[in-house]
DNA sequence: ACGGAGATCTTCT
DNA sequence: GAAGATCTCCGTT
């Protein structure tokens, strides 16, 4: 399948987030392909969005958000986890989409190895889990998602129709994030998909 | 099933 | 010095 283009990522973060559902996230390691269907995302807008890393201005960590759209913004958090974002909107407009969950497609043996001992439902159902499953670390910060040479890219997939998409507030924001940002419905996921994060009985 | 806390470190106050 | 776009383990029910 063709790769998503620079022009695609240059759109606003809301549009990119919604349409990334159904696309295929691909990682290539030593010629082996690991991939998954994107089933959960969150949009982080520009500096007016108090929940976004870009809110308090540019820092060494969040600098990729101001950079070229279509590149990866990979950051380390909680002392343990790498989180993957796709940079959106034009240069100098700091916005990104957080990839929160994928449905494994290719390279299941490698994913299982990276997620040693866990059940398939826990392989990629969360932003910190999927980066471990795909061996994504800070080495891939600023990687160009529109090129296969980066080892990390996104391909087009089957679009997910509106009746299979749910939206709601973003997850994991601290209570210090003020309204209305705390409640903005900028999380999108595929309804009833078992690989979406924080799935509990009846909440899919 | 649910809740609490630890892990572990970068970044910002 | 504290919190963080998280996950896992271990306790109790």
């Amino acid at each position: 399948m063709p790769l998503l283009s620079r022009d695609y990522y240059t759109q606003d973060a809301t549009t990119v987030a919604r349409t990334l559902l159904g696309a295929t996230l691909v990682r290539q390691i030593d010629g082996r392909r690991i991939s998954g269907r994107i089933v959960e995302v969150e949009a982080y807008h520009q500096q007016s969005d108090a929940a976004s890393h870009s809110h308090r201005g540019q820092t060494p960590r969040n600098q990729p958000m101001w950079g070229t759209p279509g590149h990866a913004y990979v950051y380390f958090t909680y002392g343990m986890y790498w989180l993957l974002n796709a940079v959106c909107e034009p240069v100098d407009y700091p916005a990104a989409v957080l990839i929160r969950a994928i449905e494994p497609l290719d390279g299941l043996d490698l994913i299982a190895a990276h997620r040693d001992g866990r059940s398939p439902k826990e392989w990629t159902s969360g932003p910190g889990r999927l980066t471990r499953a795909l061996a994504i670390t800070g080495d891939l910060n600023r990687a160009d998602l529109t090129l296969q040479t980066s080892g990390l890219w996104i391909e087009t997939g089957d679009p997910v129709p509106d009746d299979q998409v749910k939206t709601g507030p973003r997850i994991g924001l601290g209570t210090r994030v003020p309204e209305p940002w705390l409640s903005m419905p900028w999380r999108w996921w595929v309804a009833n998909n078992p690989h979406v994060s924080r799935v509990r009985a009846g909440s899919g």
Side-chain angles (χ1 to χ4, degrees), chain A residues 113-173:
Chain A
H114 294 155
R115 299 290 296 141
D116 180 47
R118 274 104 184 158
S119 71
K121 202 164 50 179
E122 296 172 322
W123 282 353
T124 56
S125 54
R129 290 173 174 174
L130 76 88
T131 55
R132 288 201 167 167
L134 272 57
I136 294 168
T137 68
D139 291 347
L140 287 164
N141 193 25
R142 304 170 186 272
D144 191 338
L145 300 174
T146 69
L147 298 175
Q148 294 190 330
T149 51
S150 64
L152 182 67
W153 66 89
I154 304 180
E155 300 175 358
T156 60
D158 293 329
V160 182
D162 284 344
D163 63 5
Q164 292 174 30
V165 174
K166 293 199 173 188
T167 68
R170 294 169 289 184
I171 286 182
L173 306 184

Side-chain angles (χ1 to χ4, degrees), chain A residues 57-136:
Chain A
Q58 198 167 327
T59 69
R61 178 172 75 159
N62 66 21
Q63 198 279 333
M65 294 185 77
W66 276 260
T68 307
H71 283 239
Y73 167 38
V74 180
Y75 73 90
F76 192 61
T77 192
Y78 294 106
M80 300 184 73
Y81 299 106
W82 295 100
L83 270 58
L84 170 66
N85 296 258
V87 174
C88 300
E89 314 234 20
V91 171
D92 290 336
Y93 191 102
V97 172
L98 172 68
I99 312 293
R100 286 193 56 90
I102 63 175
E103 176 179 339
L105 294 175
D106 299 312
L108 302 186
D109 57 329
L110 292 176
I111 291 177
H114 294 155
R115 299 290 296 141
D116 180 47
R118 274 104 184 158
S119 71
K121 202 164 50 179
E122 296 172 322
W123 282 353
T124 56
S125 54
R129 290 173 174 174
L130 76 88
T131 55
R132 288 201 167 167
L134 272 57
I136 294 168

Side-chain angles (χ1 to χ4, degrees), chain A residues 13-14 17-18 20-21 40-45 84-86 88 96-101 127 168-173 186-189 197:
Chain A
T14 302
R18 167 63 183 83
L20 271 181
L21 292 179
E40 181 184 358
V41 294
E42 284 177 0
Y44 288 86
H45 292 264
L84 170 66
N85 296 258
C88 300
V97 172
L98 172 68
I99 312 293
R100 286 193 56 90
R170 294 169 289 184
I171 286 182
L173 306 184
W186 287 340
R187 173 183 177 233
W188 289 259
W189 69 95
S197 70

